[in-house]
Amino acid sequence: MKIIEKFSGVFLIAGLFLLLGAMLSLGIVPAMMVDRVHPQQGLPLEVPEDQRIHYASAKEYQAALLLGRDIYVAEGCWHCHSQYVRPVANENLQYGPVSTPGEYQTALHRPQLLGTRRVGPDLSREAGKKSDDWHYAHLYDPRFTVPDSVMPGYPWLFERNADGQILPGPKAKALVAYLQNLGRGMETDVGDLPPRE
Amino acid sequence: MEVAQAPSPSPTDNQPVDHALVTAYFVAFLGYLIVTLLAGLSYSLQFLQKYPFPGVELLSPGRVRMVHTMSVAYGMLASGLFGIVSYIVPKLTGFPVLSRKLAWWLYGIYNAAVLATVAMILGGHAQGLEWAETPKILDPFIALTVVGIVVNNITPIWRARAEPYYVSLWYILAALIWTPLVYVFGNFLPEYVFGGTAGAAISSMYIHDLVGLFVTPLGIASVYYLLPVAMRVPLYSHALSIIGFWGLAFFYPLNSAHHYLYSPIPMWAQYASIVASIGVHVVVYTVVFNIFATLASDWKQLVTNFPVRWIFMGTLAYLITCIQCAVQVTLAAQEIIHFTDWVVGHAHFVLFGTFTFWITAWVYWLLPRIWGTPIYSLSLGRWHFWLATLGICIMQIDLLAAGVMQGYLWKSLAPFIDSVRASMPFWWTRTFSGILILVGESCFILNIYLTWQASRERRAAAANLQPSGATS
Ligand code: HEM
């Protein structure tokens, strides 16, 4: 004990370096490894076919993706939905191809939205699974499409027109554009998905 | 190891301690406790399709969830622990903090920042990092306040360097040095520097280190101080406690990636985190053994000494969560329980069952001493204890079971909504256990309020007893 007390200052500095060492080995080194193999990318440069009716230019589309992402963050969707498919528990059959580091090197994953909880299903392969209209109805009140859902409704993303009809506002559209971009381009790999409601 | 004994409790001769500040921190703790419980309870009603404020944008359930967890970490636990630090450090070193005035300013700014966090999250400005949802513009304020608190409290520790430190000071010193670094790394790097999976690796360090390098060392420091003092017996072994301390310093920082096992983060980092997580048991068993061995010198106090009972229950919960940890960190268990309610059960058990219980022991021990009056009602206190204990145990068992069930249902490829339907009874039980906890904690707050009231009456009576000739 006496010895420990004598070298206490040394130990304290060691403690500090242990933290910095952990930072380096578990943070910065993996970052450099991934960046090297898959360089960081920005936002999609083209409007996908099915979104052209909503967005004329890539710029508008990119702005919508970022707005959609902001709403996804602000509403805490990421506390109920994860965004990665694990190589276990039959998740590749449930959701689609297993996630790889390269997928996350885009501006939409800065900061990343991997998530640590699934109250609802994983969304990393959501693109194209449902129609835009399904999403609108679901976001307005999830019980419209899934009666037993415990997901909250988001009516404030919608607007009422002069006739009293409820229509998706810019926010709802942006959020759906974001959802329809999650895992886009990977649909073809999915194979036979078991039927989902 | 005579020198390193915790000093005896003597509420009168503690000149260096700013009692008003400690009280203020504890009051903030109680306030955030209520916010936490109400937010948690409301959010749990969403799972029953009974959310009390449907369609209200400012009370959107997802936002309320973030308020719940932010209030836990930055509100309750931070307030309680900062209060304890502001008591222990001057008391053990014999020196006051650098500046008492600064300490009050920091208290004010910190609480303003936390309240602003709550308001801005409800307004839709959360940052997309788990446990770091504090809006981006508030991050620098919190970081600076934390640095201020660190400087203020490290000064007396530095001044007292000639004497060997009692183990609590070691833990506090280390936590004070780590916390600002952890906060800055966790809030700024993944947001501005590292994207994608690398950002996730760093963010997971924050998720882990906030609990591992801030809450845990300060919590352990607080029991190592309070237990011998409240029981009036020496700590079982100071050497053991120091070994535990170095275990914490060595293993905790490396744990982080276990929050993202099987994720696209490089697999070797995940393996490293699993090994380190098992290493953490060195810390746990030294702490738990030391506390139980100290308690064993006089078991009767579990019944007769009210704060000690809270420490015991908290330590038991600590042992259980940490045994759980060894199970859930294995990849075999992760396959099933990750993403499920299991993790939520674990989080509640450790943050409420352990750390909130330990802080509660402090509140029950210290406030009556500062106010110079016994606790108002011990039977109210017992209601608090048993309701909180029962509530958290029900919640824990319920959520663990729910988690296993959900994990296997997902693996079975049943439609997702099946797992939602099957979880309903578990979610009902969770809300019920939450109500037990809320009632218990209400007894707590009522009790503390009545104690304060009694102390005021007592002081007023004492003032009246003074010879009245002087004033008239
Ligand atoms: C009235 C009692 C409470 C209820 C009903 C409650 C309910 C909840 C709910 C529904 C969640 C979200 C879980 C999910 O995403 O599936 C949650 C998360 C959480 N709560 Fe509570 N809570 C209560 C009290 C507390 C207390 C007192 C603490 C801490 C001292 C606490 C700490 C946490 C933590 C750390 C999380 C995050 C869990 C995670 O992300 O894994 N809760 N709570």
Side-chain angles (χ1 to χ4, degrees):
Chain A
M1 271 322 290
K2 284 271 153 48
I3 298 176
I4 291 188
E5 305 257 330
K6 200 163 160 197
F7 292 102
S8 48
V10 182
F11 275 123
L12 197 68
I13 293 170
L16 186 62
F17 276 96
L18 286 170
L19 175 64
L20 296 177
M23 190 68 208
L24 189 73
S25 60
L26 293 188
I28 295 172
V29 173
M32 284 168 26
M33 280 173 58
V34 179
D35 280 354
R36 192 154 214 210
V37 184
H38 311 278
Q40 289 273 349
Q41 294 161 6
L43 293 163
L45 295 173
E46 265 178 55
V47 188
E49 192 104 30
D50 53 297
Q51 295 291 324
R52 292 215 179 114
I53 42 166
H54 303 300
Y55 305 101
S57 69
K59 218 168 154 197
E60 282 174 44
Y61 181 57
Q62 291 176 347
L65 288 180
L66 288 178
L67 175 61
R69 185 190 184 289
D70 284 349
I71 299 166
Y72 190 87
V73 170
E75 297 295 357
C77 310
W78 52 293
H79 281 299
C80 282
H81 295 286
S82 62
Q83 286 196 22
Y84 66 98
V85 180
R86 302 182 301 163
V88 287
N90 294 327
E91 289 192 8
N92 56 333
L93 300 177
Q94 178 91 293
Y95 297 114
V98 170
S99 302
T100 55
E103 289 172 44
Y104 296 89
Q105 297 289 80
T106 81
L108 290 174
H109 272 287
R110 288 175 79 102
Q112 43 74 30
L113 290 170
L114 291 182
T116 54
R117 174 81 176 98
R118 282 181 191 157
V119 179
D122 187 88
L123 294 181
S124 59
R125 305 286 177 257
E126 189 60 23
K129 274 191 186 159
K130 312 275 195 221
S131 68
D132 286 3
D133 292 342
W134 187 92
H135 281 301
Y136 291 135
H138 185 251
L139 283 174
Y140 188 85
D141 184 347
R143 261 105 5 230
F144 287 167
T145 56
V146 186
D148 286 334
S149 178
V150 298
M151 175 164 146
Y154 297 90
W156 55 88
L157 303 177
F158 294 78
E159 292 168 348
R160 238 171 234 282
N161 71 3
D163 307 334
Q165 274 176 314
I166 299 165
L167 296 173
K171 286 186 168 176
K173 284 188 181 147
L175 184 54
V176 171
Y178 174 76
L179 291 172
Q180 296 287 28
N181 182 56
L182 291 172
R184 181 177 281 279
M186 312 193 89
E187 302 93 320
T188 46
D189 303 335
V190 173
D192 291 310
L193 273 182
R196 288 218 282 143
E197 275 174 52
Chain B
M1 282 320 306
E2 287 311 305
V3 268
Q5 293 294 322
S8 63
S10 42
T12 41
D13 70 354
N14 34 26
Q15 269 316 311
V17 182
D18 188 344
H19 282 162
L21 182 71
V22 180
T23 315
Y25 269 122
F26 283 178
V27 170
F29 163 75
L30 296 175
Y32 292 121
L33 179 63
I34 289 295
V35 175
T36 302
L37 293 176
L38 292 180
L41 207 58
S42 314
Y43 186 60
S44 79
L45 291 173
Q46 172 65 41
F47 289 73
L48 311 175
Q49 300 189 335
K50 301 224 168 346
Y51 191 65
F53 321 101
V56 181
E57 178 172 2
L58 290 179
L59 293 172
S60 165
R63 302 180 192 183
V64 168
R65 184 205 203 270
M66 294 189 265
V67 168
H68 177 61
T69 51
M70 291 292 95
S71 169
V72 167
Y74 300 95
M76 283 168 63
L77 296 178
S79 296
L81 294 172
F82 283 149
I84 293 171
V85 168
S86 338
Y87 181 84
I88 297 185
V89 168
K91 189 89 187 178
L92 278 180
T93 58
F95 295 100
V97 291
L98 179 62
S99 154
R100 285 194 181 189
K101 219 171 174 180
L102 179 65
W104 276 100
W105 273 104
L106 292 167
Y107 173 81
I109 299 173
Y110 185 79
N111 279 294
V114 175
L115 294 177
T117 303
V118 170
M120 287 184 71
I121 288 179
L122 291 180
H125 300 282
Q127 184 179 3
L129 291 172
E130 193 165 344
W131 287 109
E133 286 96 337
T134 321
K136 278 176 254 179
I137 54 163
L138 292 175
D139 283 343
F141 286 98
I142 299 217
L144 285 177
T145 329
V146 171
V147 170
I149 292 177
V150 167
V151 171
N152 222 1
N153 283 291
I154 277 195
T155 320
I157 303 185
W158 174 252
R159 285 197 191 147
R161 67 190 176 280
E163 299 281 318
Y165 293 152
Y166 180 64
V167 61
S168 293
L169 275 187
W170 276 114
Y171 275 106
I172 291 177
L173 186 57
L176 290 178
I177 294 176
W178 284 325
T179 305
L181 287 174
V182 165
Y183 191 85
V184 169
F185 287 160
N187 281 268
F188 298 103
L189 291 186
E191 181 74 39
Y192 303 109
V193 185
F194 297 112
T197 50
I202 292 179
S203 182
S204 71
M205 283 197 76
Y206 187 67
I207 300 178
H208 191 79
D209 291 350
L210 184 70
V211 177
L213 298 184
F214 171 65
V215 176
T216 303
L218 292 183
I220 295 179
S222 75
V223 275
Y224 271 148
Y225 182 93
L226 184 58
L227 187 65
V229 170
M231 285 184 74
R232 295 167 192 268
V233 298
L235 185 66
Y236 175 75
S237 161
H238 194 253
L240 196 60
S241 68
I242 295 277
I243 293 171
F245 172 70
W246 290 111
L248 181 117
F250 188 76
F251 290 117
Y252 262 63
L254 291 165
N255 270 349
S256 53
H258 72 197
H259 293 268
Y260 288 115
L261 292 178
Y262 283 128
S263 77
I265 294 176
M267 208 58 206
W268 57 264
Q270 302 183 28
Y271 288 134
S273 75
I274 295 174
V275 175
S277 305
I278 292 172
V280 161
H281 284 246
V282 177
V283 189
V284 176
Y285 297 131
T286 57
V287 172
V288 171
F289 182 78
N290 223 343
I291 293 178
F292 283 164
T294 308
L295 278 167
S297 65
D298 191 0
W299 280 115
K300 278 202 304 297
Q301 293 205 19
L302 281 187
V303 185
T304 55
N305 194 334
F306 194 57
V308 169
R309 182 191 296 206
W310 288 92
I311 296 183
F312 170 78
M313 208 59 210
T315 311
L316 201 60
Y318 189 57
L319 179 64
I320 295 171
T321 27
C322 292
I323 292 174
Q324 242 178 41
C325 168
V327 175
Q328 66 198 21
V329 80
T330 58
L331 286 169
Q334 277 293 311
E335 175 180 357
I336 301 303
I337 61 163
H338 191 49
F339 294 128
T340 68
D341 266 326
W342 175 295
V343 185
V344 179
H346 177 72
H348 280 95
F349 205 58
V350 72
L351 288 186
F352 184 70
T354 301
F355 293 107
T356 308
F357 271 43
W358 283 348
I359 297 173
T360 305
W362 266 87
V363 175
Y364 273 131
W365 180 76
L366 189 56
L367 285 188
R369 275 174 175 71
I370 291 181
W371 290 335
T373 173
I375 198 81
Y376 178 82
S377 158
L378 260 187
S379 76
L380 212 53
R382 286 198 200 99
W383 275 102
H384 172 203
F385 178 80
W386 288 110
L387 284 172
T389 305
L390 193 67
I392 190 63
C393 289
I394 295 179
M395 187 184 277
Q396 156 92 336
I397 294 168
D398 171 62
L399 291 180
L400 296 190
V404 175
M405 188 263 324
Q406 288 157 355
Y408 278 107
L409 260 183
W410 293 343
K411 190 177 175 184
S412 77
L413 294 179
F416 193 90
I417 195 69
D418 281 7
S419 78
V420 174
R421 288 190 194 119
S423 303
M424 274 306 174
F426 296 96
W427 288 336
W428 274 100
T429 315
R430 187 246 309 269
T431 301
F432 168 73
S433 66
I435 292 172
L436 290 185
I437 294 178
L438 182 69
V439 175
E441 299 297 329
S442 309
C443 294
F444 182 27
I445 288 171
L446 184 69
N447 209 351
I448 295 297
Y449 173 76
L450 291 174
T451 308
W452 176 70
Q453 195 83 0
S455 80
R456 277 202 340 173
E457 274 160 23
R458 187 180 275 212
R459 245 175 296 144
N464 283 343
L465 279 183
Q466 302 287 324
S468 51
T471 45
S472 58

